[in-house]
Amino acid sequence: MSDKLFLDALIVRDDFEVQDKAHSSQGPHKTTLSHNDFEIPGFFFSLLRKPDFQRETNEWGLEKVKDLIESFLDGDLVPAIILWKYADSYTFVIDGAHRISAIAAWVNNDYGDGVISRKFFDNAIPQQQLDSARKARIVIDNDIGAFKDYKDALYNIELADPKIKKRLKTFGTRAFQLQWVDGDSKKAESSFFKINQKSTPISETEIAILESRKKPVGLCSRAILRGGQGFNYWAKFENEVAATIREQAEEINRLIFSPKLTTPIKTLDLPLGGKNHASSSLSMIFELIKILGVDSEKDDEDGRSTVQELSRVRKIIERVNSKKPFSLGLHPAVYIYSKSGNFRVSCFHATIMFAKRLEESNRLNLFTKHRDKLEEIVLLSDGVIQQIVRKARHATSAIEPLVNYFNSILLHLESGCETSKVLYNIAKTDEFSYLKLDESGYSVTATSSFSKAIKNSAFIANGIRTVQRCEICGARLHSSSISYDHRVRKQDGGSGTLDNIQLSHPYCNTTFKN
């Protein structure tokens, strides 16, 4: 499990454009931040803000947070915090949000699960975040001591823990150095990107997310990732519109990330999107929103475009796997996860795009007709998929080749090609001539203990053989997308007895069967 700590709640986000530009900044600025400045509520921290284009504060793991706290307490060199304030605006963090948040987490005993975080996320905190926070608190309290222990030690220093007593004499003099950016909001925003590209580089995807924060593509991405919780980038919209954005985003988040993924894998009830709130999740959702064609050109002034786009995205995901009557119920263990249980982001995107293309080309019935054979071939394609992704060199670049691969399987089956010969015939085509079918793409190093990959492989191999199948198309069923069908239709006199019920995919029941 990742030990990344989600500290996004500790510094409030705000829009750079809230300040009054008619007045210049008055008086000298602070030059340092001491431990008193990190307490919440507090006069300094309550007015401190992150720009709305700042990345979420979730990139630091336990060790990095612990090292920063120790460096602060021991007076080691820590890079200066860079702030910006203009006229009567809040004070904004241009560089150093993770550093400030690490100390604030320690001072306020909130590593992503405390009072501040629970209020920020309306108590909707995922288990992974809670587990990481709990682990951090145990380790930091044991190795460094809780902030409260330092305050309590002032009443009787002789009885204090030795590690606390050693640091207490210089505790009050420790501080971060501050630097200030001069100029208006455009100057501050430009400084942010320059500084972060030089110190902690921002990927092209992250820059695109930050720059599109007011456009439907950015609003949809952030809303979906957090299930409508966290910072409300849509707060300026009318209450009804904002509520709809939250509701739609929450449901899409559930469709993608539920049920919760745990490892080693002990169930085939796997989520479409792997683990939520991993460091790459926002990029994954942003790429999905982009390839689904969500508007990335115009700012959404009233939120209605975002609502419309979220509704469209939701229907596409529901087509892939949901209880809706039109859902194909595509099984993640067949299309998305490797046989060793690894979540494949390229296959996540490709599976959704494949289903979308089937609908757009009116080939859903054709797919259902050959679905059971197609999925058997996909299950044999672990090594093939690895080769396709490897040749593309990037998960995003592999989406189109993977969609073409799934489509090529379907076309070969429709042409009457024997199932056992489909892969060999695909490898003879110009597009996939590079495939080497003798490469399994899977190897392990012999050890005395079973690795997580071996455990996952054993469970998936056994589970995929015994999983319940649709009694209409013969392909595998997923728990999130099962329909109960009358063998003999009610209008034809079919009863509601046990011998007249069959399990099926929703689409097979409501459309293909008829």
Side-chain angles (χ1 to χ4, degrees):
M1 181 184 72
S2 171
D3 69 347
K4 294 290 181 67
L5 299 177
F6 206 95
L7 308 180
D8 207 44
L10 298 175
I11 306 176
V12 179
R13 263 192 186 77
D14 216 321
D15 192 326
F16 253 15
E17 298 174 2
V18 299
Q19 76 280 354
D20 178 6
K21 296 183 178 181
H23 301 88
S24 60
S25 200
Q26 300 294 322
H29 294 305
K30 287 171 65 73
T31 58
T32 62
L33 290 182
S34 66
H35 67 85
N36 290 326
D37 295 312
F38 293 94
E39 293 193 72
I40 304 173
F43 288 108
F44 176 80
F45 222 97
S46 64
L47 300 178
L48 190 65
R49 295 291 186 270
K50 283 182 293 200
D52 61 345
F53 51 77
Q54 169 70 281
R55 288 179 291 182
E56 292 186 324
T57 315
N58 63 349
E59 288 300 314
W60 281 22
L62 163 58
E63 288 303 318
K64 198 161 186 178
V65 170
K66 186 165 82 76
D67 288 346
L68 191 283
I69 296 170
E70 288 182 321
S71 295
F72 175 78
L73 292 175
D74 295 338
D76 295 338
L77 179 63
V78 176
I81 306 297
I82 301 179
L83 304 177
W84 171 80
K85 180 178 174 61
Y86 190 83
D88 295 327
S89 72
Y90 292 112
T91 299
F92 286 87
V93 182
I94 300 302
D95 185 54
H98 273 89
R99 277 165 273 159
I100 293 176
S101 297
I103 301 300
W106 180 63
V107 169
N108 297 282
N109 191 30
D110 190 340
Y111 298 97
D113 65 343
V115 174
I116 302 161
S117 292
R118 289 183 182 277
K119 180 180 179 181
F120 182 75
F121 295 115
D122 195 23
N123 282 318
I125 300 178
Q127 190 60 45
Q128 181 179 343
Q129 182 174 328
L130 294 174
D131 292 343
S132 295
R134 190 176 299 113
K135 177 182 176 182
R137 182 175 293 102
I138 292 171
V139 172
I140 291 173
D141 286 359
N142 182 68
D143 294 355
I144 298 175
F147 177 74
K148 182 179 182 300
D149 295 338
Y150 283 77
K151 295 186 74 173
D152 290 345
L154 294 174
Y155 294 98
N156 199 334
I157 192 171
E158 297 304 321
L159 298 179
D161 185 290
K163 64 177 176 288
I164 293 176
K165 186 187 302 184
K166 180 180 178 181
R167 287 173 168 144
L168 204 55
K169 295 177 182 178
T170 57
F171 184 67
T173 64
R174 301 308 186 202
F176 282 142
Q177 292 296 314
L178 296 179
Q179 294 180 7
W180 294 83
V181 173
D182 294 323
D184 61 15
S185 61
K186 296 298 181 184
K187 174 67 179 297
E189 184 169 343
S190 174
S191 298
F192 169 84
F193 284 110
K194 287 180 181 179
I195 290 167
N196 281 276
Q197 283 285 46
K198 290 178 180 178
S199 55
T200 305
I202 306 176
S203 69
E204 292 182 6
T205 299
E206 287 178 306
I207 291 176
I209 293 171
L210 298 176
E211 292 179 341
S212 65
R213 63 192 182 276
K214 297 180 181 180
K215 299 175 172 60
V217 67
L219 289 165
C220 287
S221 299
R222 291 189 181 277
I224 290 171
L225 180 73
R226 297 301 301 184
Q229 301 299 323
F231 178 72
N232 295 329
Y233 290 88
W234 46 88
K236 66 177 182 179
F237 304 143
E238 294 179 1
N239 290 340
E240 183 179 350
V241 173
T244 302
I245 290 175
R246 286 193 297 271
E247 291 166 6
Q248 293 276 16
E250 182 179 10
E251 178 58 17
I252 297 172
N253 179 280
R254 187 193 65 78
L255 289 168
I256 292 175
F257 293 112
S258 293
K260 181 177 178 285
L261 176 64
T262 57
T263 54
I265 292 172
K266 296 180 181 179
T267 175
L268 286 188
D269 294 339
L270 303 168
L272 290 175
K275 287 186 177 181
N276 195 3
H277 305 297
S279 58
S280 59
S281 292
L282 180 56
S283 295
M284 181 187 80
I285 295 298
F286 183 68
E287 290 299 332
L288 173 65
I289 297 304
K290 282 203 307 179
I291 64 176
L292 292 181
V294 172
D295 185 2
S296 60
E297 298 299 323
K298 300 177 182 177
D299 286 358
D300 190 353
E301 300 297 336
D302 59 12
R304 301 189 185 281
S305 293
T306 299
V307 168
Q308 183 178 357
E309 296 286 24
L310 282 171
S311 178
R312 186 172 65 85
V313 169
R314 175 176 173 173
K315 288 180 180 178
I316 293 171
I317 305 300
E318 286 175 336
R319 169 73 76 181
V320 176
N321 189 294
S322 73
K323 296 187 184 300
K324 294 291 184 179
F326 53 82
S327 178
L328 296 173
L330 302 183
H331 202 302
V334 175
Y335 292 90
I336 298 175
Y337 292 79
S338 72
K339 67 181 183 182
S340 59
N342 291 324
F343 171 72
R344 299 182 294 200
V345 65
S346 55
C347 289
F348 166 76
H349 289 139
T351 299
I352 293 172
M353 284 302 297
F354 180 53
K356 182 173 181 287
R357 301 268 179 86
L358 289 173
E359 180 177 3
E360 291 171 343
S361 59
N362 295 315
R363 293 187 301 150
L364 292 171
N365 280 352
L366 175 66
F367 166 74
T368 303
K369 174 184 173 183
H370 299 290
R371 177 171 176 172
D372 59 337
K373 293 179 180 178
L374 181 147
E375 293 189 355
E376 294 303 325
I377 295 170
V378 172
L379 284 169
L380 294 172
S381 301
D382 223 53
V384 171
I385 289 172
Q386 287 186 29
Q387 292 178 63
I388 292 173
V389 175
R390 189 163 61 233
K391 187 175 190 301
R393 296 190 176 185
H394 190 275
T396 303
S397 302
I399 298 170
E400 197 64 27
L402 286 171
V403 173
N404 292 343
Y405 175 64
F406 295 152
N407 188 54
S408 186
I409 296 174
L410 180 58
L411 292 177
H412 276 78
L413 290 172
E414 175 63 10
S415 70
C417 181
E418 294 180 24
T419 306
S420 60
K421 295 181 179 179
V422 169
L423 284 177
Y424 294 97
N425 287 343
I426 289 177
K428 292 178 182 178
T429 63
D430 290 341
E431 183 176 7
F432 296 106
S433 59
Y434 61 89
L435 294 177
K436 294 180 173 58
L437 301 183
D438 57 342
E439 288 188 9
S440 68
Y442 178 69
S443 62
V444 296
T445 302
T447 64
S448 59
S449 301
F450 295 125
S451 68
K452 184 184 294 184
I454 289 293
K455 293 176 182 177
N456 289 346
S457 298
F459 183 88
I460 291 174
N462 181 68
I464 211 70
R465 287 195 301 267
T466 59
V467 72
Q468 180 76 44
R469 290 177 179 263
C470 172
E471 296 186 54
I472 296 175
C473 76
R476 291 166 176 83
L477 292 168
H478 186 254
S479 62
S480 297
S481 191
I482 295 177
S483 177
Y484 296 94
D485 177 41
H486 286 75
R487 296 179 190 274
V488 179
R489 297 184 301 177
K490 287 189 289 185
Q491 56 264 46
D492 295 332
S495 65
T497 57
L498 183 61
D499 60 355
N500 195 43
I501 192 173
Q502 61 181 359
L503 275 60
S504 67
H505 299 110
Y507 180 82
C508 293
N509 180 7
T510 62
T511 307
F512 183 73
K513 176 185 176 182
N514 300 320

